[in-house]
Amino acid sequence: MQAQRPFLTQIFVTAGILTMLICSLTGCDTTGRKMTVIDPPFDKQPDTLALEQIDRLDEMFALAWLSEEELLYQKAPLTTEHLLIRNLKTGASQATDMSAERSAVVSPDRKHVLLLSELRAGIADLTSGQVLSLPVSDEHVSWILRNAVGAWANDQAYVLPIVKGDKKYGLLYVRVDGTATAVSIPDEDQPIQKVMAHGDSIYYLTSDQQLKALVEHRNHAQLISNQVADFALSPDGTRLALALVTGKVEVSLILSDSQGQTQKSTGVNGRLLQQLSWSPDGHRLAFAIFNLAQGMTGLYVMDTQTGSMLSLSTFQTLKSPIVWSPSGQQLLISQRDESSSDSKAFSTIYRFKTLP
């Protein structure tokens, strides 16, 4: 028996190595936690998109596209002045009765605008020009969460993260007729950083990096994934783009189904990965990334079908939302010029062309 020990030891070591290899390939976890299989990265295909033109608009902080040729903007971020409309073809601007210190988000059908400031919110009708104030406060206490990101659920309703007092958090459905309905989040004591919705499904990201899904009129929230730094739901509601924390100083871009079950690595990794934004047709994904190794830093657009990447800028606009035009042929980013002494605002438009 003594002579057989080395042989048996070799068998056990070999079996252990095989087990580790199988686990690394299939996603099993010896701790008993559920793991998700992550497919290999894309096989990179030839580029299908090219950058045609870059336009910089100085002293202009654009917030939203009204059409392919019109932008809704303010002269500086966090201003109390009314918003203006700029015609990109003629260069002419016209004043509006709308005001928004923080953000203005146009509905999918381009008929309404959600206006948001630090203390108030409103819905503007682009046809009539009427602006309805929304009930987002109680006894002069604002429910609005600072820097939280909401989204249009459909043409008629916008979903907004709120604080309900006593460290309790939830969501608010605000409709184009000015009415609002609170949506309770089960056992939610964490601030909500971002929310997106499609149909009856609501996806929200909490401050402790948990991405959850809630079906309207249900009292159960499904955990989609932990360690999520940012996420974006595709326009048709079938896919998720996830910025997953995969290391101490690493965030990886992962594409998955709407339940987070089938995941595919894109091979995109960085120290910071933010502002994930799907194109209107769901074929492309824009994002901002910062890499300590400087291998991939800046603004990129990825073809989610082929995995091909298009670099737009080497400057990482991590704090600036990336806004697609209705056709998906233009991108808008607004920011302050930190290199200038007065830090004036400017907006950049990236125009694309599709390669044959």
Side-chain angles (χ1 to χ4, degrees), residues 8 10 89 92 111 145 154 159 173 176 182 184 213 238 251 280 293 302 305 310 314 323 346:
L8 292 174
Q10 184 178 3
K89 182 172 290 186
K111 293 183 178 180
L145 274 171
N154 49 53
V159 189
Y173 257 106
V176 297
S184 297
T238 63
V251 181
M302 180 182 69
Q305 297 176 325
L310 176 62
T314 57
V323 187
F346 70 97

Side-chain angles (χ1 to χ4, degrees), residues 25-47:
L25 292 175
T26 61
C28 67
D29 189 347
T30 56
T31 65
R33 294 176 303 177
K34 181 179 178 182
M35 299 291 287
T36 304
V37 176
I38 299 180
D39 293 333
F42 288 100
D43 292 328
K44 292 297 186 289
Q45 302 294 322
D47 292 339

Side-chain angles (χ1 to χ4, degrees), residues 130-272:
Q130 183 182 16
V131 179
L132 299 175
S133 296
L134 295 172
V136 292
S137 63
D138 184 13
E139 296 180 356
H140 306 292
V141 177
S142 175
W143 297 345
I144 298 175
L145 274 171
R146 184 180 179 88
N147 297 327
V149 178
W152 285 92
N154 49 53
D155 292 336
Q156 302 297 310
Y158 188 92
V159 189
L160 182 69
I162 61 171
V163 57
K164 298 188 294 183
D166 195 24
K167 296 184 179 180
K168 295 296 182 181
Y169 303 91
L171 301 170
L172 195 69
Y173 257 106
V174 294
R175 295 174 176 80
V176 297
D177 62 2
T179 59
T181 303
V183 179
S184 297
I185 302 300
D187 303 321
E188 204 55 70
D189 57 357
Q190 291 288 330
I192 299 172
Q193 295 182 331
K194 186 175 184 178
V195 60
M196 301 192 77
H198 186 273
D200 289 337
S201 298
I202 302 173
Y203 295 80
Y204 61 96
L205 179 63
T206 59
S207 60
D208 59 353
Q209 297 187 324
Q210 290 191 346
L211 177 62
K212 298 180 180 181
L214 178 74
V215 177
E216 194 176 10
H217 307 307
R218 294 188 182 182
N219 58 2
H220 173 70
Q222 175 189 353
L223 178 64
I224 300 297
S225 181
N226 290 303
Q227 302 300 311
V228 179
D230 193 11
F231 83 100
L233 180 67
S234 64
D236 62 2
T238 63
R239 289 177 293 167
L240 287 166
L242 306 174
L244 290 183
V245 179
T246 51
K248 187 175 180 180
V249 289
E250 181 184 74
V251 181
S252 300
L253 179 59
I254 303 295
L255 299 182
S256 79
D257 62 3
S258 60
Q259 300 303 306
Q261 296 299 313
T262 303
Q263 299 187 353
K264 180 182 286 291
S265 171
T266 63
V268 175
N269 304 287
R271 173 64 179 86
L272 297 171

Side-chain angles (χ1 to χ4, degrees), residues 8-36:
L8 292 174
T9 301
Q10 184 178 3
I11 291 176
F12 295 148
V13 171
T14 303
I17 294 174
L18 287 174
T19 301
M20 292 172 61
L21 179 60
I22 291 171
C23 282
S24 66
L25 292 175
T26 61
C28 67
D29 189 347
T30 56
T31 65
R33 294 176 303 177
K34 181 179 178 182
M35 299 291 287
T36 304

Side-chain angles (χ1 to χ4, degrees), residues 84-97:
L84 299 97
I85 298 175
R86 168 69 65 88
N87 187 299
L88 296 175
K89 182 172 290 186
T90 65
S93 295
Q94 66 180 83
T96 74
D97 292 330

